Amino acid sequence: MDEMGLVLFAVAAFAGGFVSGFSGFAMGLVVSGVWLHIVTPVQTAALIAGYGLLTQGYGILKLRQALNWRAIWPLSLGTTIGIPTGVVLLTYLSPVHLRFGVGTLLALYAIYSLARPAFKPMKIGIMADIAIGLVNGLVGGLTGLGGIVSTISCQWRGWTKDVQRGVFQPVLFAAFVVISISMGITGAFTSETVKLYGLGLPFLLAGLWSGFRLYGKIDDEMFRKAVLALLLLAGLSLIVPPMVSGGA
């Protein structure tokens, strides 16, 4: 990796940390658009998983007073089952058609929700939450976006921004645990990947801290719109995936 590549890698790490600190998710969405042009796809996925454990763990620590374990465990259970199931199903489905379909639904949902007031709060039971978690994991295994469905479901409940993040961030943490274990078994965490992790770590932490600072200054409605904007970006990224180039 040349000097320009190192600069871009660090800038993307800072931006990913900032978005995660501000919204609680979408770090991988931000960094992958840059890293896929600098390092290999396997290294990118491994770095996102490793950094995801850190960003979600930090968020859980910061919002520990808002944790809602009754909502967390069924979503996490469904997610941990859904991720490997989605990975298996991916071998039988067309990735291109799948990404386009999920991306279109996400984009339409985000546009519709941005154009209208917030939904009236919904009450969702435990079994429904397990099902939502299962779909969340399936989407994660099929597309790489492991926290999208759980994040949307938290918006439906009319919770404050802290309570929303106090639920979907632990669910994302559980997803990253499953992904990291799977990648560790396949040998994705090489010495070169560990070196890249250490290189980007201070920049990611600086962005994470800055994002949380900004998060503390916004209200619930602004947070809702920010999350929807990121969901729209996620949908568009699936419809028009970035060009992937190799390189170490």
Side-chain angles (χ1 to χ4, degrees):
M1 187 186 300
D2 58 19
E3 289 186 7
M4 180 56 68
L6 289 172
V7 171
L8 290 174
F9 181 84
V11 170
F14 178 87
F18 180 85
V19 170
S20 183
F22 176 70
S23 69
F25 75 110
M27 180 268 296
L29 177 67
V30 172
V31 300
S32 61
V34 176
W35 289 352
L36 284 171
H37 295 278
I38 302 172
V39 298
T40 67
V42 173
Q43 287 176 322
T44 297
L47 288 168
I48 290 173
Y51 284 139
L53 290 172
L54 177 62
T55 57
Q56 299 309 318
Y58 181 80
I60 292 169
L61 179 64
K62 294 285 287 185
L63 298 167
R64 58 189 179 278
Q65 301 301 324
L67 296 179
N68 180 354
W69 292 107
R70 183 188 177 281
I72 292 169
W73 78 260
L75 287 170
S76 297
L77 175 62
T79 297
T80 55
I81 296 172
I83 288 175
T85 305
V87 172
V88 172
L89 289 176
L90 190 59
T91 60
Y92 299 97
L93 301 174
S94 167
V96 175
H97 294 158
L98 178 70
R99 290 173 64 92
F100 182 84
V102 174
T104 300
L105 289 175
L106 274 178
L108 290 175
Y109 170 80
I111 293 170
Y112 174 75
S113 299
L114 283 168
R116 54 156 290 160
F119 291 101
K120 292 182 179 180
M122 297 172 55
K123 291 185 178 181
I124 301 176
I126 291 177
M127 294 308 297
D129 266 340
I130 293 176
I132 290 171
L134 181 62
V135 175
N136 184 60
L138 284 171
V139 172
L142 290 167
T143 69
L145 300 176
I148 294 296
V149 177
S150 59
T151 300
I152 291 173
S153 76
C154 287
Q155 284 200 331
W156 294 342
R157 306 165 203 251
W159 291 336
T160 65
K161 59 188 178 79
D162 283 358
V163 175
Q164 287 185 52
R165 289 187 62 166
V167 172
F168 72 68
Q169 289 211 239
V171 175
L172 269 168
F173 184 85
F176 279 123
V177 168
V178 175
I179 293 169
S180 296
I181 291 174
S182 301
M183 299 199 77
I185 293 173
T186 61
F189 296 108
T190 64
S191 59
E192 182 63 27
T193 303
V194 173
K195 290 179 183 178
L196 288 170
Y197 187 94
L199 174 66
L201 185 59
F203 301 98
L204 181 114
L205 290 175
L208 187 62
W209 179 83
S210 301
F212 252 104
R213 292 270 294 181
L214 180 60
Y215 168 77
K217 298 178 181 179
I218 63 172
D219 58 21
D220 290 340
E221 178 61 16
M222 187 174 293
F223 178 74
R224 183 183 78 89
K225 291 181 178 178
V227 169
L228 288 171
L230 287 170
L231 290 174
L232 176 59
L233 180 60
L236 294 176
S237 75
L238 292 176
I239 296 171
V240 186
M243 296 294 293
V244 177
S245 62

